[in-house]
Amino acid sequence: MNKLLLLITALTLFFSCGKKENSENNFSKPVTEEATTESSGSSDPSTYDPKRGEGKFDTVELETTLNQSMATEGQKVAEVKCTSCHKTTEEKLVGPGWKGVTERRTPQWIMNFATNPDPMIDKDPEVQAQLEICLVRMPNQGLKDEEARSILEYMRKIDGVK
């Protein structure tokens, strides 16, 4: 009898953990055409600016010296959301290493990619080449603007800005 009760409980738990279509906690909501248009902007890759990327950041003002407190905060955010795929060296983990990224990319490109990677993955030829090496698309981590800016400052620290 105890085994039967245990089996019924296990089956109930197993089936109750399945996907619920209209659940309040469903984080993978269907994408509407309107949402796609807003997030990806123009679908024409010829309008893509490889210096800026695609997103809301047209310019990002940086100080000549490192903002240490912002870099420290960026390191904390990166340890939660980024370092499972990126190393702070040039070495590839799942994604490319971060060493030298602030020398290869503009601040606005980094901010746009960190906060809105999908349209840039679809349009940027260098990112597409990197995708062929890494084989995994960077997921959108839902970074807030302040978090992305702190991560940028942490990347600057990695690249030797003092």
Side-chain angles (χ1 to χ4, degrees):
M1 184 67 176
N2 285 339
K3 289 182 182 180
L4 179 62
L5 184 59
L6 182 62
L7 178 63
I8 291 170
T9 304
L11 287 173
T12 302
L13 288 173
F14 177 76
F15 286 110
S16 69
C17 293
K19 182 179 178 186
K20 296 180 182 177
E21 289 301 317
N22 292 320
S23 173
E24 238 177 76
N25 295 326
N26 185 3
F27 293 112
S28 59
K29 298 193 187 302
V31 177
T32 64
E33 187 174 328
E34 182 178 278
T36 304
T37 303
E38 278 181 27
S39 65
S40 64
S42 171
S43 61
D44 181 7
S46 68
T47 63
Y48 180 77
D49 180 358
K51 297 266 188 236
R52 178 186 158 306
E54 185 165 312
K56 63 182 168 183
F57 298 99
D58 291 322
T59 59
V60 177
E61 298 297 324
L62 300 177
E63 300 294 324
T64 55
T65 60
L66 187 72
N67 181 325
Q68 188 61 49
S69 63
M70 191 181 284
T72 300
E73 186 59 32
Q75 182 175 359
K76 290 176 189 174
V77 174
E79 286 172 353
V80 173
K81 296 190 175 194
C82 307
T83 58
S84 60
C85 293
H86 298 282
K87 289 189 174 193
T88 59
T89 64
E90 293 176 349
E91 185 181 358
K92 172 188 164 292
L93 188 55
V94 174
W98 281 1
K99 181 78 174 149
V101 73
T102 62
E103 297 159 4
R104 293 186 305 272
R105 299 292 188 171
T106 64
Q108 53 273 18
W109 189 97
I110 293 169
M111 291 286 292
N112 284 326
F113 190 69
T115 58
N116 193 28
D118 293 319
M120 292 177 66
I121 293 169
D122 293 338
K123 295 177 183 177
D124 191 301
E126 289 183 37
V127 175
Q128 290 172 352
Q130 193 66 217
L131 180 59
E132 289 183 23
I133 295 167
C134 296
L135 304 175
V136 177
R137 284 179 71 96
M138 182 170 133
N140 188 329
Q141 294 293 326
L143 291 175
K144 297 176 186 162
D145 295 353
E146 307 81 40
E147 292 174 319
R149 179 60 184 87
S150 294
I151 290 172
L152 171 58
E153 202 67 10
Y154 176 51
M155 289 175 163
R156 292 179 70 216
K157 180 179 179 180
I158 292 167
D159 287 341
V161 176
K162 303 247 185 234

